[in-house]
Amino acid sequence: MKNLMIGLTVLFSGAAMAHGCPGEMKAIDAKLATQPAMSADAKAQVTTLRADGERLHKAGDHTGSMKALADAKKLLGL
């Protein structure tokens, strides 16, 4: 019973994060669309992190995706 509960927790937390990734990507895209004042290097880093987040999401690594997207959001001040 305990193993079943742990398995369900892992399953549902992964599913929840899977749905969070697209929302995080949309927030980053929306902020980038406003042409925020930032250096070209910072913008390139945000763009790279955003792309990494999408790639990781599609590969099923939602924890890695959320980390990359969180780093991008931090650089954007979100």
Side-chain angles (χ1 to χ4, degrees):
M1 182 68 157
K2 183 177 179 180
N3 288 338
L4 175 64
M5 293 304 291
I6 291 171
L8 289 174
T9 300
V10 169
L11 175 68
F12 288 118
S13 65
M17 283 201 284
H19 294 293
C21 301
E24 297 297 301
M25 288 184 267
K26 285 180 186 177
I28 292 165
D29 293 344
K31 183 68 173 186
L32 286 172
T34 68
Q35 299 294 316
M38 60 192 323
S39 71
D41 287 342
K43 185 174 181 178
Q45 191 174 9
V46 167
T47 303
T48 298
L49 287 166
R50 195 301 194 179
D52 289 346
E54 184 171 5
R55 179 182 51 78
L56 291 166
H57 170 73
K58 288 180 179 179
D61 181 1
H62 302 292
T63 301
S65 174
M66 290 298 284
K67 179 175 182 338
L69 296 171
D71 290 345
K73 286 180 71 175
K74 184 175 180 182
L75 287 170
L76 286 169
L78 295 174

